[in-house]
Amino acid sequence: MNTKPQSTDKDVIIRLRRIEGQVRGIQRMVEEDRACEQMLTQVMAVRASVDQVGLLLLETHIENCLLKDLKADPERLEELRETLKMWARFGLLPGAALPWSEEAVGI
């Protein structure tokens, strides 16, 4: 069930098109034998952009799917909403073990 606001879809599409352009730019840089540092800088920019798209989609999912019909005290619901958004924004670093993973529990 698609419950995302139209503006979110539009924002995601705009960001993905920008990322697509950045990737094409990196392809050209490789073809033109540009400096490695320049290409790596652009790769890092693409990664950051993809992370932002993922964050936007995750926050939309939290808001419109997970919490939409949750019956709770409005103040507590807002606290949960903000906590989930903080976790999404500042939570696990890439490659970090999830707390319930075999790696984290020593299996």
Side-chain angles (χ1 to χ4, degrees), residues 10-26 28 42 45-46 49-50 52-53:
K10 188 175 183 178
D11 189 26
V12 167
I13 295 296
I14 289 168
R15 289 170 185 257
L16 289 172
R17 286 185 180 145
R18 188 175 305 131
I19 292 166
E20 183 179 20
Q22 288 175 302
V23 170
R24 283 196 199 114
I26 295 169
R28 280 190 302 277
Q42 291 306 309
V46 168
S49 297
V50 169
Q52 288 301 310
V53 168

Side-chain angles (χ1 to χ4, degrees), residues 95-98 100-107:
L98 296 172
W100 56 85
S101 69
E102 291 178 357
E103 179 182 307
V105 295
I107 296 176

Side-chain angles (χ1 to χ4, degrees), residues 53-103:
V53 168
L55 181 60
L56 179 61
L57 291 172
L58 183 58
E59 286 183 355
T60 300
H61 176 66
I62 289 168
E63 194 66 35
N64 296 317
C65 299
L66 297 179
L67 301 179
K68 180 181 177 191
D69 296 323
L70 189 63
K71 305 288 187 235
D73 172 53
E75 186 175 311
R76 299 292 294 175
L77 188 57
E78 183 59 29
E79 288 175 15
L80 177 59
R81 179 178 290 117
E82 292 306 313
T83 300
L84 287 171
K85 286 182 180 181
M86 269 197 313
W87 177 261
R89 190 171 295 275
F90 304 110
L92 294 175
L93 297 173
L98 296 172
W100 56 85
S101 69
E102 291 178 357
E103 179 182 307

